[in-house]
Amino acid sequence: MSTTPPVLAAELAQAWADIQRYHPELPDLAAPESLIGESSSACGAELSFERLLHEAVHGIAAARGVRDTSRAGRYHNRRFLAIAEEMGLDHSEEPHASSGFSLVFLNPEAKKRYRPTIERLQRALKAHTAATAADTKRSFRGPAARHGSSGGGVRVKAVCDCGRNVRVVPSVLAQAPIVCGGCMKPFRIPEVATAAAS
């Protein structure tokens, strides 16, 4: 089995399609590679099927025009929880003071429904983790990783040839290109590009 990011991105896209079979209003996943290898500060979870389903809740909320978060996306409200419950996610007890109902988990019915998808994605994630762990000296992992943090929060500006920019965690950009929809060129971090040229 290949362990390159495009293969993992394909597995994520397939898992998303599996969710869409049960929830047809869920929009397509635009950039599965943006989820690879990073934890989410909002949901506090590493990449997994549970995290993917959490992101799918946001997708359905967007499709319905429902505002499911506040505080710059950190606080997940009861509208988020209602959609999460529809999709097979539960939440224990009261909302967290700063993140609300963001920490959701699969209920038994969802675990059963998605078992083959979960197992396939876990294998792909395990293979990807093994492949990237063996190559840490050659890849830029960002300031958080260099300082012993688990990463996931330090974003820098990446630019494309037409001048558009996005904020991205450097380790995500190092794993696979993120392409601008305007000029179809990859986004790059200017400091990294300059250092590579010298």
Side-chain angles (χ1 to χ4, degrees):
M1 171 192 288
S2 174
T3 56
T4 60
V7 171
L8 181 53
E11 290 291 350
L12 287 164
Q14 181 57 54
W16 192 266
D18 292 350
I19 298 168
Q20 286 177 311
R21 264 186 298 169
Y22 294 98
H23 304 280
E25 68 184 307
L26 177 62
D28 290 340
L29 182 59
E33 62 275 4
S34 67
L35 297 172
I36 297 173
E38 294 302 325
S39 61
S40 166
S41 58
C43 68
E46 291 181 3
L47 185 55
S48 65
F49 182 76
E50 207 164 66
R51 159 102 187 277
L52 198 63
L53 201 55
H54 173 118
E55 297 301 329
V57 172
H58 292 302
I60 287 186
R64 293 178 182 175
V66 171
R67 185 171 177 206
D68 63 340
T69 63
S70 58
R71 301 180 196 166
R74 288 185 307 273
Y75 190 87
H76 293 58
N77 59 35
R78 290 191 185 277
R79 291 181 291 271
F80 170 86
L81 182 58
I83 298 169
E85 288 172 347
E86 285 178 39
M87 297 183 71
L89 292 166
D90 287 335
H91 184 277
S92 58
E93 312 277 332
E94 293 299 311
H96 186 273
S98 62
S99 61
F101 296 100
S102 68
L103 298 176
V104 289
F105 53 90
L106 286 167
N107 68 28
E109 184 181 323
K111 283 182 185 177
K112 184 177 178 183
R113 174 188 304 149
Y114 293 113
R115 183 180 318 279
T117 303
I118 293 167
E119 290 172 354
R120 191 179 65 241
L121 186 57
Q122 284 175 335
R123 283 192 302 272
L125 285 165
K126 185 176 179 183
H128 175 74
T129 300
T132 55
D135 196 25
T136 55
K137 289 185 179 180
R138 293 181 44 207
S139 62
F140 177 70
R141 296 183 60 221
R146 287 197 309 271
H147 296 293
S149 166
S150 61
V154 182
R155 287 171 171 63
V156 297
K157 185 163 98 173
V159 297
C160 68
D161 287 350
C162 69
R164 296 177 73 206
N165 65 71
V166 295
R167 290 279 183 193
V168 64
V169 176
S171 60
V172 170
L173 198 58
Q175 291 172 5
I178 298 174
V179 178
C180 172
C183 67
M184 303 310 290
K185 301 284 173 110
F187 284 96
R188 65 191 185 297
I189 300 169
E191 296 80 8
V192 173
T194 303
S198 49

